Structures are given as C-alpha cells and as structure tokens.
Amino acid sequence: MAELKSLAKETAIYGMSSIVGRFLNYLLVPLYTYVMPVESGDYGVVTNVYAITALLLVFLTYGMETGFFRFANKKEEDPQRVYSTILISVAVSSVAFLLLFLPLSEPLSAYFGYAGHPEYLFMMMIVVALDAFQSIPFAYLRYKRRPWKFMAVKMYFIFFTLAMNVLALIGFPWLQSHFPDLMGWYHVEDRVMYIFLINLIATASQTFWFIPELHGFHYVFDVALWKRLLTYSFPIMILGIAGILNQTIDKIIFPVLFHDPAEAQVQLGIYGAAAKVAMIMAMFTQAFRYAYEPFVFGRSQEKDNRQMYARAMKFFIIFALLGFLAVMFYLDILKFILPNKGYWVGLKVVPIAMAAEIFIGIYFNLSFWYKLIDETRWGAYFSLIGLVIIVTLNVVFVPRYGYIASAWAGFCGYAVVTVISYVVGQKKYPIRYDLKGIGMYVGLAGILYVAGEYIYIEDLGWRMLYRTLLLSLFVVYVIRKDLPLRDIPVINKFIKKK
C-alpha cells in the first residue's frame, strides 16, 4: 500500500502540472475561437499544423524516453552513461532533421496547403526539434523523482505562452485601435503566424531551465549501448506513431479527404475546438503515465509486483470513469469555453473521444508486460493493427460522415488493440486483474451515463443537480467498495478511529 501511496502522491504532482497546464491551455481555446471566426478556417490551420508537429515529435524522440527508464534501471547499466548516450543521440538527430527539412519548408508548405505561409512550418520544425531534445531532460527529472521542478518548467511554459497569446491577440489589437501610428507594424490577419512564433519563443526559452541537467557530468556516447537502446526503443516508436496517429491522422488528412480545402479547414476548426473538451481525460492519462512509468521500471525486480500493477490498473479505470461521468454530466457548462456558438455543433464527439482516451490509458497500463520482458516487438504488432483500423475507417467513412467518423475510428482502433494486448499479455506475463470488480464499475458508470443523458430535464439548474446526484452515487460506491474515507489523506484526519 505504501508503494501505491507513493504513486498517488507523484501522480498528484505530475497531475497538477498536467491538469493546471492543460486548464490554462484551455483558456487559449476560448481566446482562439473568439478571435478566429468559424468561417475563417484559421483554427483549422492551427489544428492541422500542430497535428503534423505532434507526429514529427514521435519520430524525433524514437522511443528513447521509455528506453531511458528501462536501461537506467538495469543493475548492469550506468544510469549516467545511458542518459549521456541518449541525450547525444537525440540532439544529433534533431539537428540533422533541421538541416534536412528547413530548406524544404517552402515546397512542403505548398503541399500542405499553406503556399503563402512557409514560415508556419519553418517555425514549427524548430519547435519540434527543441521539444524532442527537451524530452530527455524531462525524462531525467522523472527518473530522479523531481516532480516539483518538472511542474515548475511546465508551468513556466504555459504561463508564458498564455500571457503572450493574450498580448498578441487581444492587447496588440486594442493598442492598434488607440495608437495606430505606434502599432503600424501589427497585422491582425497574421494571428496564426503570431501563435506559432510565440510557441517558438516559449520553447526556446524553456531550454535554459535544463542547464543543471545538461552539465556536471562527463558526456559519453556508448555505441554498443546505443544499438541496444535502438533495438529496444524502435518498436516503441512504432507504438507511439500509432498512438499519435489516433489523435492526429484525421486532422492531417482532412484537406486530402475533402474536395473543398476551405471547407475542410472550417470543419477541422470545429472538430479541433470541440475535441479540446475531451482532453480532460488525456490530462489524467498523461499525469498517470508520468508517475507510473518510472514507478513500474524502478520496481520491476521486486516480488509481488504483479499484484501492485493489477491494483494500479483498477484504480486508474475507477478514476477514469469518474472523470468521464463528470465531464459528460457538466458538458452543458463546459461548452462555454467555446464562446463562439458556431463551434458547439462539434460537441457530439466528446463522449466518443473520452471513451477512446480511456482505452488509451488501459492500453498504456497493459503495455508494460512486453516492456518488462524486453519483447517490445509486440508493441509494434499491436500498433500496426490499430493503425490499419484507424486509417482505414478514416479513409472510408470521413468523406461521408465527416469528423464524427474520425472520432469513432480512434475509439475502435484502441478498443481492438486493448483487447488483443490483454489476451496476449495474459499468456506472456499473466497478471490477475480484478475483472469482476472493474466490470461492476464499468456497468455502473454506463447505467449512470444513460440515466444522465436520456432522462433530460429542461431547467439547467435542476439538470445539474440531478446529474450531481448521479455522480455522487458513483463516488459513494467507490468509497464503500475500494476507497474508505479513512484511507484518503487529509479526510482521514476527521474520521474517528474506533
């Protein structure tokens, strides 16, 4: 239980950085949708370019984060040597990427439909190269169990980005309207360019936070170790590609699947804005991953660790279902983060996207069986299966049904690979998960969701009260079944001991 409490504490800290950071990022959604009319398609451009850079980031890190945790925790390896080798490898590959693709930014911009704005890809290529390099010091902080500095760096980036976006998109236009001679250099129609420029400045300045993690040791590039790292990490890269494609393939191929490029950007803007509401589940999954990955590898040699993994899986699913119900029950309030009602039509994808994120989290938990036995090729197999499902469903159904098909494609892809990973994992590295208990939680959450969605109450206040009572039923069941109040920190101080 002590190990799980440690995991919960670190998840809370990482979660604070992830959730608070994502929440502050949420403030950019109403800002962007306020200054970018639906018909302009500008938010679609932002969504498309960020989807491309997210995919590139997976290529440029090529699974080395997970490789670092695995090899740094091996008794026969020197953690500092592992860190140095990976740091040099990712730095060199990032520079090589820039040298190869920066000269091609203009023709690539034309290919992606931004012929008049090669600076979009030019800036974001630099951003993705910096992000790839910085991912290794971030992993090092997690390995050293320094969640507070991890959170501080993340918070710096978010606050800086938020402040500069508000200044560029709200402050500068106001100044221009009052002091036109002073602000003659500012052009409001270049708002997309300003967004990418701010991202570049924030990412570059973030590098200075890692100065302590980048010196004070002897840099060594161990070729033999590097080859073993590549062998281990390459399948994880394939896994990461499939994972990021689940979130980005629809946003990347929209201009190809729609005959009208302008309409494609409009639809993509609606989808991208609405999908942000579902990112609450992604926040929780990411926070859990940040703490869980070093936690698992650090205890891989301990006895009885499988029971601990099973309990962690159960608690992940419990709180993921709680998050799902909370978002869906209060969606009528959450939708106001999109001040432009033209974007609200896309909110129908929220429950599908959140359910897909739950499968992503479960799949992530299941994936440790092949990481722990060093058979990461299984991750590549599962990823390819999921990728084929996702891409096929997008290509076949998106032209007819639009972005709703993209949401279902992600859900189906991860549902299938989750089931396959569980079946194979039980043969290769069996773990006795509490399937009955988990099934009860899933069933209860399903019943409450249906009751909340299909028993509709017209008055918003009464509707929120009714749904709050439904959510309370789930919380009470959790407390009575698996999480007594006396086991919850802070609250347990008010519980009288018998």
Side-chain angles (χ1 to χ4, degrees):
M1 196 66 183
E3 290 87 353
L4 286 176
K5 287 182 178 179
S6 174
L7 173 62
K9 178 182 177 181
E10 291 186 24
T11 300
I13 299 174
Y14 289 122
M16 189 183 303
S17 64
S18 179
I19 293 172
V20 174
R22 290 289 184 93
F23 175 75
L24 292 175
N25 244 332
Y26 266 5
L27 298 181
L28 292 176
V29 178
L31 174 62
Y32 290 165
T33 54
Y34 174 74
V35 301
M36 298 178 182
V38 175
E39 59 276 9
S40 72
D42 283 350
Y43 195 68
V45 175
V46 173
T47 302
N48 182 252
V49 173
Y50 275 131
I52 295 171
T53 54
L55 179 60
L56 289 175
L57 182 60
V58 177
F59 279 103
L60 287 181
T61 53
Y62 43 95
M64 283 296 184
E65 289 175 276
T66 302
F68 169 71
F69 288 120
R70 179 55 175 163
F71 281 74
N73 283 288
K74 284 188 173 184
K75 293 180 180 179
E76 65 272 19
E77 301 289 355
D78 176 7
Q80 207 63 52
R81 197 177 190 88
V82 174
Y83 176 59
S84 174
T85 299
I86 293 177
L87 199 61
I88 293 172
S89 177
V90 175
V92 171
S93 58
S94 297
V95 172
F97 165 79
L98 291 178
L99 294 176
L100 178 62
F101 285 101
L102 281 183
L104 301 175
S105 58
E106 191 165 344
L108 285 174
S109 298
Y111 176 78
F112 286 115
Y114 314 120
H117 299 281
E119 69 275 10
Y120 293 171
L121 286 182
F122 185 90
M123 289 187 289
M124 293 311 294
M125 283 179 185
I126 299 175
V127 167
V128 76
L130 289 170
D131 276 338
F133 176 74
Q134 292 173 7
S135 69
I136 307 306
F138 268 126
Y140 188 72
L141 289 176
R142 292 160 60 196
Y143 168 74
K144 286 294 188 179
R145 309 292 286 272
R146 299 185 61 193
W148 290 110
K149 179 169 182 179
F150 183 99
M151 182 179 71
V153 179
K154 292 288 186 181
M155 290 298 97
Y156 159 76
F157 179 85
I158 293 299
F159 277 111
F160 181 86
T161 303
L162 177 62
M164 292 303 295
N165 270 276
V166 171
L167 179 63
L169 302 179
I170 299 294
F172 285 169
W174 182 88
L175 289 172
Q176 189 177 53
S177 65
H178 289 76
F179 308 99
D181 295 335
L182 179 64
M183 299 296 296
W185 55 271
Y186 179 81
H187 302 285
V188 68
E189 63 273 11
D190 291 336
R191 51 189 169 234
V192 174
M193 186 271 291
Y194 294 133
I195 290 172
F196 295 146
L197 178 60
I198 290 168
N199 197 326
L200 174 58
I201 295 171
T203 304
S205 62
Q206 184 175 253
T207 307
F208 293 100
W209 282 77
F210 295 116
I211 291 176
E213 285 71 39
L214 296 176
H215 80 284
F217 60 92
H218 183 58
Y219 277 87
V220 177
F221 185 77
D222 188 324
V223 176
L225 171 62
W226 180 68
K227 290 179 179 179
R228 295 199 305 274
L229 280 163
L230 284 182
T231 301
Y232 178 85
S233 300
F234 183 77
I236 296 175
M237 181 188 74
I238 303 300
L239 173 66
I241 291 172
I244 201 67
L245 281 175
N246 173 65
Q247 304 171 38
T248 62
I249 186 62
D250 47 1
K251 303 171 183 68
I252 293 174
I253 65 177
F254 244 66
V256 178
L257 297 178
F258 276 77
H259 298 296
D260 183 354
E263 178 63 18
Q265 298 299 345
V266 171
Q267 294 299 313
L268 185 54
I270 294 173
Y271 179 36
K276 288 289 186 181
V277 179
M279 286 299 100
I280 292 175
M281 188 60 65
M283 294 181 206
F284 174 71
T285 301
Q286 185 182 48
F288 192 83
R289 175 188 172 185
Y290 282 152
Y292 196 50
E293 195 164 44
F295 173 84
V296 167
F297 284 127
R299 289 164 174 77
S300 60
Q301 305 299 323
E302 296 179 6
K303 295 181 179 180
D304 201 31
N305 53 8
R306 301 190 193 200
Q307 182 181 358
M308 189 163 47
Y309 300 158
R311 286 177 59 81
M313 169 71 87
K314 184 176 182 179
F315 279 108
F316 170 81
I317 293 175
I318 289 172
F319 288 102
L321 291 172
L322 179 62
F324 174 85
L325 291 175
V327 171
M328 295 314 305
F329 285 169
Y330 300 117
L331 187 59
D332 289 329
I333 297 175
L334 292 174
K335 68 183 181 183
F336 286 101
I337 68 170
L338 307 177
N340 189 330
K341 294 183 179 181
Y343 290 96
W344 288 8
V345 67
L347 292 174
K348 56 190 175 184
V349 307
V350 173
I352 307 168
M354 289 196 69
E357 286 291 345
I358 293 177
F359 274 116
I360 291 173
I362 297 173
Y363 180 51
F364 170 78
N365 280 271
L366 290 173
S367 70
F368 276 99
W369 70 259
Y370 58 74
K371 294 177 183 178
L372 289 171
I373 64 176
D374 292 343
E375 292 190 18
T376 51
R377 68 179 186 279
W378 286 101
Y381 300 153
F382 301 147
S383 298
L384 290 174
I385 292 172
L387 179 59
V388 169
I389 294 172
I390 293 169
V391 172
T392 301
L393 293 178
N394 270 282
V395 171
V396 173
F397 293 107
V398 164
R400 179 179 296 181
Y401 298 105
Y403 53 77
I404 193 71
S406 296
W408 278 114
F411 173 86
C412 293
Y414 268 100
V416 170
V417 296
T418 297
V419 172
I420 296 175
S421 180
Y422 172 78
V423 172
V424 178
Q426 290 304 96
K427 296 179 180 179
K428 294 282 188 177
Y429 192 85
I431 297 176
R432 296 185 62 182
Y433 295 107
D434 182 11
L435 297 181
K436 181 179 178 181
I438 292 172
M440 292 292 291
Y441 279 107
V442 172
L444 176 61
I447 293 171
L448 294 175
Y449 171 69
V450 171
E453 286 293 311
Y454 295 98
I455 300 179
Y456 188 77
I457 300 175
E458 188 67 29
D459 182 78
L460 178 62
W462 285 109
R463 185 162 70 249
M464 291 299 98
L465 177 60
Y466 166 66
R467 291 179 175 179
T468 299
L469 291 175
L470 292 178
L471 188 63
S472 299
L473 290 177
F474 188 86
V475 174
V476 169
Y477 183 79
V478 173
I479 292 173
R480 292 181 62 87
K481 190 72 176 176
D482 285 287
L483 197 63
L485 292 176
R486 61 174 51 89
D487 289 342
I488 303 177
V490 180
I491 294 178
N492 60 5
K493 296 180 181 179
F494 300 95
I495 306 297
K496 293 183 178 180
K497 296 182 179 181
K498 295 182 179 180

